[in-house]
Amino acid sequence: MHLARRVAQLTPSATLSITAQAKAMSAAGIPICHLGAGEPDFPTPAHIRRAAIQALDQGKTRYGPTGGIPQLRQAIAAKLQQDNRLAYTAAEVMVSNGGKQTLYNLMMVVLDPGDEVIIPAPYWVSYPDMVRLADGIPIVVPTTQATGFKITPAQLQAALSPRTKLVVINSPNNPTGAVYTREELVGLAAVLADHSCWIVCDEIYEKLLYDDLAYINLAHVNPDLQSRLIISNGFAKAYSMTGWRIGYLAAPEAIIEAAISLQSHSTSNICTFAQYGALQALTDPLSLESIAEMHAAFQQRRALLMQALDSVDRITYFRPGGAFYLWVNIEQTGLDSLCFCERLLKDFYVAVIPGVAFGCEGWIRLSYAASQETILRGVEALEKCVQSFVLV
Ligand code: PLP
């Protein structure tokens, strides 16, 4: 008996071997410098934790509505209005197990076999696999540093076809930290206006913007697009709630109804008492302070990491406008990204993620969701690693 065809389509994670090796080395007592993690290293703020504990104590431990408790759906709709200037009703919002399940649900309810999805690369690792799982075809559009790792209107126009069902825009981007500006979105919106397809904006890093960049969405530059626009977001990165698994989708009601129906046959509602924590995160003014504190720490670490790398020969980096990653070019070492990362881990005890996992060779992703001491130790080791290739 063999496994389903769809399993064979899944890309084995290029990050898996690095992460597994790093964990095994840590477990063996080797002081690994972890710059790979895609999660904030702060505890979830106390007021959010307390709300979940209180919900548990109050017996909020039963099955709930599949799409999320009504108060949370309402609070998300209010948040979208207030923070993002996007009008969605509670019925146009649903809660899932992280941004990951929101996007998976979306692919499953909008794609028919053979439908194409435009994904600018470098991309978040799961997009292409999700598309394939839904029998769609990922159309990966490589971007370069010359355009700030952002898809251009001409590239988008060339990639669109009568089979295009969905376009994915992720800003701030994982892994590059690239952020689309108003002018860039105006250009993309003009192309999208003439092509009837869905557009999903993955905004999970929206609270982590630097250098005076401000939040902006395609719907702001062309309000007509909102009827085709889907927002995917979650609590993981902004509130340091990765393990809570809470994300949300905002979309026209037909999509939300279909996605709730799908979710009713897969996971049902997400953890009930966790949703009360998320509700607190959105409604308690203390969250503003927590977000600001984490933002300030990330900003400092970003500056520290860039400054430390400035003095390392033979590598360059892309200056990120958001998120908590630095996209570093290692082409001058002559190694591909996976070999480089394996060598960096095995001989220099630093864990980072190879660019190939994000659909882009010649680059690696460093996460600065780590202490300043770890960042400095990591850069020191990275420099030694790069020098070792020069001497070989
Ligand atoms: N989208 C992007 C761009 C991400 O980087 C991540 C997580 O790393 C997600 C979505 C999913 O986040 P989660 O499922 O933890 O909410």
Side-chain angles (χ1 to χ4, degrees), residues 38 97-101 103 124 127 170 172-174 202-205 232-237 241-242 245-247 325 365:
N97 286 282
K100 194 170 263 184
Q101 193 189 16
L103 289 160
W124 177 52
Y127 299 139
N170 171 214
N173 174 273
N174 176 7
D202 182 345
E203 303 193 331
I204 199 144
Y205 296 100
S232 175
N233 204 333
F235 292 79
K237 320 288 178 175
M241 291 172 70
T242 46
R245 311 308 304 133
I246 314 179
Y325 307 111
R365 189 195 78 179

Side-chain angles (χ1 to χ4, degrees), residues 18 41 56 58 64 139 159 183 289 323 347 368:
I18 292 278
D41 53 327
L56 255 178
Q58 289 171 347
I139 304 295
E183 293 67 36
E289 283 169 36
D347 297 342
Y368 49 89

